[in-house]
Amino acid sequence: MNAITLSGLYKRFGAFVALDGVDLTIPAGCVFGLLGPNGAGKTTTFKCMLGLVRATSGTVAFDGAPLTPATFEHIGYIPERSVLYDWMTVREHIEYMRHSFARFDPSKAHALLEQLGVGDDRKRVRALSKGMRTATAVALAFARQPDILILDEPTSGLDPINQRTVLNLIINEAARGATILFSSHQIGQVERAAERIGVMQRGRIVLEGAVDDLKAGRKIVEGILPSETFAIDGFAANPNIDRIERSGRVVRAFVHQQPDAVAADLTQLGAGGIRVVDLNLEDIFLDAVSPGTSTASVVEEA
Amino acid sequence: MPAILTVDPRSGVPIYLQIIEQVKRSVALGALTPGEQLPTVKQLALDLTVNPNTVARAYRDLEHDGVIETASGRGSFVRAGNGAANVSLAAGRDVAREGIDAALREAKSLGLQRSDVAHLVELSLTRWFPEDV
């Protein structure tokens, strides 16, 4: 069952195309990490999903149905910019949430605030640091015990200890069966908490898949050819290869699946020194958004 | 058990494979003994700060490989009973096979011939298993 399905989501602001046909499917119970450079369209995607911004065209479905007020009861959302009221205290926010959402658990909110170091709930939001505001927003969203959590950079501004706490909250909710979609610039966090990832660029999903499968399939297969001008046309046509870089006698194939088969082909060709280089999520991300800049390439050339 | 299990999420090796390798290594070395209970999927996910489905996938594969067994509602345990003595041996073989395989792949990519490699393997065997010569 798919918890969230985006089909052909398109959004134009004047002449600017923010979303250029986003198709995305998030299975129920999945933690999905959305990566992308600033301005790629992550926040606009979240807002369109929640009806906070009206998409120019395309559809969003939760459990196969369009968003309704009833659906909203089951969705927790942490926006990129805090929606807390400056003039209200943290405790007043808890009261407000308790009245607004049937499943909101005030004692869980207090426990999470304690855990995240927001000790004094009589403080007005205005008096909180940026990190403490984020922590408060996190505590309020998680205390609603939603089936679906949509988190726009939920760790931004948090210290490393609270970042880890929030990751563990995500893991805890995932173990409970919640579906979680979150964005982050911290690839290491996504690498830990997410089962699947999507990479957005210029309003499109340019890469999507299970983190472990991407790592298992995406490798650099490197070899040394008999000569600088050695013809490799047949090898280069292998559909498992995304692109090839040559430098002198060294050939490097960026592979998206079956790296061992590609390595065998390269051996067959008469190349020596065959190596299969692992790529981590950062390498895979960088290669997806701008081919040729991944740290792996730089390290290998050194 | 969490004390002996660590993963490096930033590695290019999928996390579930890292968990599998380490559990097998622990079983081979006796750090995990037959019948010993493993943490629940949720507990290990929280201890390692990794996705619970990733841990569940590792446990499924470990069960498939006969290293652990899962009793519904009771949790996962290192396999005990009749085959228990062989479990740690088999786990050790699995881990060692990966290492040997990697070394031979390297030898091949360096252009060595089968006979060269066989000779090197003989030398290693003599060094590490002298009593078997």
Side-chain angles (χ1 to χ4, degrees), chain B residues 5 11 30 37-38 40 44-45 47 91 99 110-111:
Chain B
L5 251 189
S11 145
Q37 183 161 18
L38 280 85
T40 62
L44 188 56
D47 286 342
L110 289 168

Side-chain angles (χ1 to χ4, degrees), chain B residues 18-111:
Chain B
Q18 296 183 43
I19 296 173
I20 291 170
E21 201 266 350
Q22 290 192 44
V23 170
K24 283 184 176 174
R25 192 178 281 274
S26 300
V27 170
L29 292 170
L32 282 169
T33 53
E36 187 170 345
Q37 183 161 18
L38 280 85
T40 62
V41 166
K42 179 179 172 177
Q43 193 54 53
L44 188 56
L46 287 169
D47 286 342
L48 300 175
T49 314
V50 299
N51 186 282
N53 287 342
T54 303
V55 176
R57 183 176 181 180
Y59 276 18
R60 271 199 306 278
D61 283 10
L62 284 165
E63 187 166 5
H64 180 263
D65 288 351
V67 179
I68 67 172
E69 48 199 356
T70 301
S72 68
R74 290 202 305 120
S76 298
F77 302 83
V78 179
R79 219 175 96 191
N82 284 341
N86 294 325
V87 172
S88 80
L89 183 62
R93 276 196 190 122
D94 280 357
V95 175
R97 190 189 304 119
E98 298 274 331
I100 292 169
D101 212 48
L104 293 196
R105 190 191 310 139
E106 167 101 45
K108 178 167 184 170
S109 82
L110 289 168

Side-chain angles (χ1 to χ4, degrees), chain A residues 62-82:
Chain A
F62 291 92
D63 286 337
L67 186 69
T68 63
T71 323
F72 230 91
E73 177 75 23
H74 302 281
I75 302 175
Y77 171 51
I78 300 180
E80 185 184 25
R81 287 191 187 79
S82 162

Side-chain angles (χ1 to χ4, degrees), chain A residues 82-93 96 121-128 133:
Chain A
S82 162
V83 285
L84 305 172
Y85 298 104
D86 265 357
W87 47 274
M88 272 166 62
T89 65
V90 173
R91 187 184 295 177
E92 283 164 351
H93 275 91
Y96 167 72
D121 66 0
R122 291 164 304 179
K123 270 193 182 168
R124 292 191 197 282
V125 168
R126 161 183 320 127
L128 299 177
R133 283 176 199 225

